[in-house]
Amino acid sequence: MKNYYEILEIDVLASPREVKTAFRLLAHKFHPDKQSKLNVVKDHEINEFRMIHEAYEILSDEEKRLHYDRKLLEHFKRVAKSKGYKLKNNKHKVFEILYMIALSLFSKRV
């Protein structure tokens, strides 16, 4: 599952303003027109820009972001379960485990 927060290099608790600012900075940095050297734009540059735009489309819309956050949490729960973690009703422990898994999954930058 794509981590839109990592793509925009923001925290999960980022405000709408922080989402917009991050998008603008990254869109400017990775825009194909800015990347092109001798009018040659590589596919990975276009894909990077598309991923940034996709992340912004989801995280800038309150309803889409809420839906995405729920899917992300469910993803983390499945990963936790597959790794043998037992998720009980202890909310603090559940979030601690999910946080550890999230760090391990998304801390490795490509």
Side-chain angles (χ1 to χ4, degrees), residues 63-86:
E63 191 173 312
K64 289 179 184 177
R65 184 174 179 175
L66 182 60
H67 180 71
Y68 171 76
D69 287 344
R70 286 183 183 147
K71 283 177 43 179
L72 191 62
L73 181 59
E74 287 303 314
H75 173 73
F76 287 148
K77 285 180 182 178
R78 282 192 305 276
V79 170
K81 200 172 193 178
S82 73
K83 295 202 181 271
Y85 292 107
K86 294 183 181 178

Side-chain angles (χ1 to χ4, degrees), residues 4-11 14-30 48-49 51-53 55-56 59-60 65 109:
Y4 293 137
Y5 294 103
E6 184 174 287
I7 291 169
L8 291 183
E9 301 175 1
I10 57 173
D11 187 74
S15 69
R17 184 177 181 187
E18 291 170 315
V19 171
K20 189 174 191 174
T21 301
F23 168 72
R24 285 183 173 177
L25 290 172
L26 291 170
H28 180 75
K29 181 178 178 181
F30 290 102
E48 183 77 26
F49 181 75
M51 295 228 340
I52 291 165
H53 189 267
Y56 178 70
L59 298 180
S60 65
R65 184 174 179 175
R109 294 190 147 279

